[in-house]
């Protein structure tokens, strides 16, 4: 479904390139391909080997760089960021990459994830005399790096990383080096690619395809990768444990053409649809997917059930950005503006409506109503993931427990609330099997928002207090 009306929001995407004369332009294209990961702000910091320069702003990548002169961003290396913001975290000061200057040079940071102990660390830093200029948890890491030693190197970064707890994919850049780091559970995605002699790092592999780079490898949990003119070097700041990649990256967040931890997102979604059809068949005439992220699962459901897949709902791609503000009022208006039923397809039909997930239920209710108004005889809702019952503390903004319809209602009750003839979810096992095709490579996934089994906890400190990204 549509990110901006659904109630699940990705918390940013990072992109970095080392050793290419068009570093800033390529970063712009890389960020553009990851626009779905954040639409509130974007930025690029470039290094020419002597100094770091930034260009950032609020809005979509295109808006931010519309009047940018890439000649002013000349350099062979760059890091970039797209950002989704929660209420209170808006403002240019929170747009990343954050750039700090000191006597020992510049330091740029771009982050995807959430630091669970940011509140505590921030309090400690302030007590010790630090003045923080943003409400972003990313700034906390910059201060910890500086406090770990005069120079920024593997040791000071590792020292700082060992003090933070949570989910994070970091890109850190100095004038002469770039660092990529992933949290010890590997919850957020981060991959390394090559473009000729240049190295590329990105949250999603679709960014590599966009600029013609090839995938090289994943950054591993607890790994700190250093990239410089001397090449690439790997060190470890935490022991290697089993990976717990965010299951929602496959269900909903990532682009279908991305491979997340070696698994193609479209293919995993299709398998979710196949499993769902096996677990929850229904007598119907057609299968319809809610665009865009549910289409792959709907294709899988249709294939397994033998029912025809039809385009019963279309998405209006030309609705302006005015309607993608994260407020309830505009979210509800946004459903009508962005999705339309195809009357000629759905009229007189019993429909299996596939959606990737259900958060508050308000959007599902409107879509079901829309299909029935267009003449659908029955609408059976099948959700290609288990019920979301718990909040995420690892960087995905998805409503409070009180608002989560799956936390407080059975599928039958949800059916009544949203006006559907039946509702069924994919099982936890079904989802895991659809994602983890090869345990030796994929190891495992985080499904905490569905199961309540959080892979990372810190002294009960799970409240999100600062703007995350
Ligand atoms: S809790 Fe849910 S959204 Fe958050 S990282 Fe885990 S699977 Fe992803």
């Amino acid at each position: 479904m549509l990110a901006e009306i659904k109630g699940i929001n990705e918390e940013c995407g990072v992109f970095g390139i080392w050793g290419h004369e068009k570093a800033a332009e390529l970063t712009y294209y890389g960020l553009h391909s990851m626009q779905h990961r954040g639409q509130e702000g974007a930025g690029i910091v470039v290094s020419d080997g002597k100094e770091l320069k930034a260009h950032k702003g609020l809005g979509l990548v295109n808006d931010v760089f519309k009047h940018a002169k890439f000649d002013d961003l000349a350099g062979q290396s760059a890091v970039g960021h797209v950002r989704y913001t929660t209420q209170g975290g808006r403002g240019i000061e929170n747009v990343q990459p954050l750039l700090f200057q000191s006597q020992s040079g510049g330091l740029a940071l771009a982050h995807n994830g959430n630091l669970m102990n940011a509140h505590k660390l921030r309090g400690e830093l302030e007590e010790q005399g630090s003045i923080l200029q943003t409400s972003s948890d990313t700034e906390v890491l910059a201060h910890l790096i500086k406090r770990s030693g005069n120079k920024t190197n593997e040791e000071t970064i590792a020292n700082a990383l060992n003090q933070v707890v949570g989910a994070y994919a970091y890109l850190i850049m100095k004038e002469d080096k770039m660092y990529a780091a992933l949290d010890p559970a590997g919850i957020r995605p981060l991959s390394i690619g090559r473009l000729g002699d240049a190295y590329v790092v990105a949250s999603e592999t679709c960014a590599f395809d966009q600029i013609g780079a090839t995938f090289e490898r994943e950054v591993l949990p607890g790994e700190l990768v250093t990239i410089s003119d001397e090449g690439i070097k790997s060190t470890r700041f935490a022991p290697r444990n089993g990976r717990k990649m965010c299951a929602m990256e496959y269900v909903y967040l990532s682009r279908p053409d991305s491979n997340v931890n070696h698994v193609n997102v479209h293919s995993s979604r299709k398998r979710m649809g196949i499993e769902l059809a096996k677990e929850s068949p229904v007598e119907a005439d057609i299968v319809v997917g809610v665009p865009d992220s549910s289409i792959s699962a709907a294709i899988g459901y249709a294939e397994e059930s033998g029912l025809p897949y039809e385009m019963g709902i279309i998405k209006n791609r030309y609705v302006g950005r005015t309607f993608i503000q994260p407020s309830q009022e505009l979210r509800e208006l946004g459903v009508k503006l962005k999705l339309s039923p195809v009357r000629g397809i759905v009229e007189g039909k019993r429909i299996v409506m596939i959606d990737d997930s259900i958060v508050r239920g308000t959007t599902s209710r409107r879509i079901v109503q829309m299909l029935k108004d267009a003449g659908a005889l029955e609408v059976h809702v099948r959700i290609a993931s288990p019920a979301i019952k718990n909040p995420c503390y690892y960087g995905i903004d998805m409503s409070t427990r009180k608002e989560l319809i799956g936390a407080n209602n059975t599928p039958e009750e949800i059916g009544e609330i949203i006006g559907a003839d039946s509702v069924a979810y994919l099982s936890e096992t079904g989802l895991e099997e659809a994602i983890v095709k090869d345990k030796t490579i994929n190891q495992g996934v985080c499904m905490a928002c569905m199961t309540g089994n959080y892979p990372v906890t810190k002294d009960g400190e799970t409240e999100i207090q600062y703007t995350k990204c």
Side-chain angles (χ1 to χ4, degrees):
M1 199 188 288
L2 305 157
E4 56 273 28
I5 55 175
K6 189 174 187 93
I8 303 176
N9 288 293
E10 182 58 83
E11 300 285 341
C12 316
V14 297
F15 182 94
I17 183 160
W18 189 269
H20 198 289
E21 57 177 8
K22 299 273 180 209
E25 285 103 314
L26 290 168
T27 304
Y28 165 78
Y29 288 118
L31 293 181
H32 204 276
S33 71
M34 295 191 293
Q35 185 74 84
H36 57 286
R37 297 184 77 88
Q39 297 95 38
E40 301 289 334
I44 295 176
V45 173
V46 71
S47 168
D48 61 4
K50 296 189 197 82
E51 61 170 339
L52 303 185
K53 278 184 246 166
H55 182 94
K56 22 187 207 174
L58 296 169
L60 300 173
V61 176
N62 261 348
D63 299 334
V64 173
F65 290 94
K66 193 159 53 187
H67 301 298
K69 291 196 184 81
F70 283 103
D71 286 351
D72 295 342
L73 290 172
Q76 291 75 46
S77 311
V79 288
H81 190 266
V82 285
R83 169 178 180 72
Y84 170 81
T85 321
T86 45
Q87 290 285 356
R90 291 212 186 97
I92 187 72
E93 72 278 5
N94 286 322
V95 174
Q96 298 189 25
L98 298 183
L99 176 57
F100 303 91
Q101 299 288 357
S102 69
Q103 284 185 339
S104 59
L107 178 67
L109 281 94
H111 171 212
N112 172 215
N114 180 52
L115 303 186
M116 293 160 73
N117 61 343
H119 179 65
K120 184 165 159 255
L121 290 170
R122 204 178 165 97
E124 287 169 7
L125 286 166
E126 284 180 7
E127 260 174 40
Q128 291 159 22
S130 294
I131 298 173
L132 287 90
Q133 300 192 356
T134 73
S135 60
S136 163
D137 61 359
T138 309
E139 191 181 0
V140 169
L141 188 78
H143 283 262
L144 294 175
I145 292 170
K146 284 310 287 177
R147 279 174 182 261
S148 295
N150 235 349
K151 288 214 164 97
T152 300
N153 52 32
E154 284 93 354
E155 207 179 311
T156 51
I157 294 173
N159 195 337
L161 291 170
N162 278 318
Q163 296 174 62
V164 300
V165 177
Y168 50 84
Y170 271 111
L171 281 181
I172 301 164
M173 191 169 72
K174 292 279 302 167
E175 288 80 359
D176 60 346
K177 282 189 181 69
M178 180 186 288
Y179 303 91
L182 193 62
D183 67 78
I187 294 170
R188 303 259 66 91
L190 194 62
S191 300
I192 301 172
R194 293 300 298 265
L195 179 64
D197 291 335
Y199 286 94
V200 192
V201 188
S203 293
E204 282 191 42
T205 60
C206 66
F208 298 161
D209 300 328
Q210 176 81 56
I211 61 162
T214 50
F215 171 82
E216 188 103 331
R217 71 175 181 89
E218 297 276 325
V219 178
L220 300 172
E223 185 184 14
L224 176 63
V225 176
T226 308
I227 303 169
S228 69
D229 291 346
E230 277 77 57
I232 191 164
K233 186 174 131 195
S234 168
T235 51
R236 182 156 287 290
F237 64 90
R240 186 174 177 175
N241 298 319
R243 187 158 198 183
K244 294 289 177 194
M245 173 65 77
C246 167
M248 288 306 289
E249 290 284 351
Y250 301 95
V251 170
Y252 171 70
L253 298 167
S254 290
R255 255 174 54 160
D257 53 335
S258 284
N259 290 340
V260 176
N261 200 19
H262 305 282
V263 176
N264 171 251
V265 173
H266 161 75
S267 304
S268 70
R269 286 181 189 161
K270 199 171 158 199
R271 289 192 293 270
M272 288 168 210
I274 291 170
E275 289 296 324
L276 186 58
K278 286 181 192 163
E279 291 178 7
S280 299
V282 59
E283 265 196 36
D285 302 310
I286 57 171
V287 178
V288 167
V290 179
D292 285 326
S293 51
S294 310
I295 305 268
S296 306
I299 292 169
Y301 193 101
E303 191 177 291
E304 178 63 26
S305 64
L307 296 171
Y309 171 77
E310 287 285 4
M311 197 186 284
I313 303 170
I314 57 157
K315 178 177 162 185
N316 179 359
R317 293 176 194 282
Y318 304 103
V319 175
R321 226 186 130 254
T322 326
F323 298 104
I324 56 175
Q325 301 298 325
S327 82
Q328 185 64 23
E329 198 187 354
L330 289 177
R331 247 181 231 132
E332 300 214 356
L333 182 60
V335 178
K336 273 193 191 159
L337 284 162
K338 294 192 172 216
L339 299 175
S340 306
V342 183
R343 184 176 286 274
I345 299 287
V346 303
E347 196 167 26
K349 300 283 187 354
R350 297 169 301 168
I351 295 171
V352 187
M353 180 187 116
I354 307 293
D355 205 348
D356 49 69
S357 51
I358 182 165
V359 184
R360 287 179 295 263
T362 44
T363 309
S364 308
R365 178 170 50 77
R366 286 174 182 274
I367 299 171
V368 170
Q369 188 61 47
M370 205 167 72
L371 290 170
K372 292 210 165 173
D373 288 347
L377 295 180
E378 295 172 14
V379 179
H380 300 272
V381 174
R382 293 292 178 269
I383 308 292
S385 61
I388 297 173
K389 297 180 175 173
N390 312 284
C392 172
Y393 301 115
Y394 307 136
I396 306 303
D397 176 34
M398 54 156 66
S399 308
T400 60
R401 192 174 273 124
K402 207 170 70 191
E403 291 174 310
L404 294 169
I405 195 169
N408 305 300
N409 299 281
T410 63
E412 292 71 29
E413 288 166 344
I414 294 170
E416 276 178 35
I417 295 167
I418 67 172
D421 294 274
S422 72
V423 171
Y425 289 99
L426 180 63
S427 68
E428 290 168 11
T429 316
L431 176 62
E432 200 169 359
E433 280 179 4
I435 298 171
V436 185
K437 291 299 286 176
D438 180 350
K439 278 207 184 272
T440 57
I441 297 174
N442 308 126
Q443 296 168 347
V445 285
C446 169
M447 291 173 34
C449 49
M450 306 154 208
T451 62
N453 299 326
Y454 289 93
V456 182
T457 53
K458 171 73 175 169
D459 306 331
E461 211 183 319
T462 48
E463 288 306 313
I464 295 163
Q465 315 240 12
Y466 285 93
T467 305
K468 53 196 181 294
C469 212

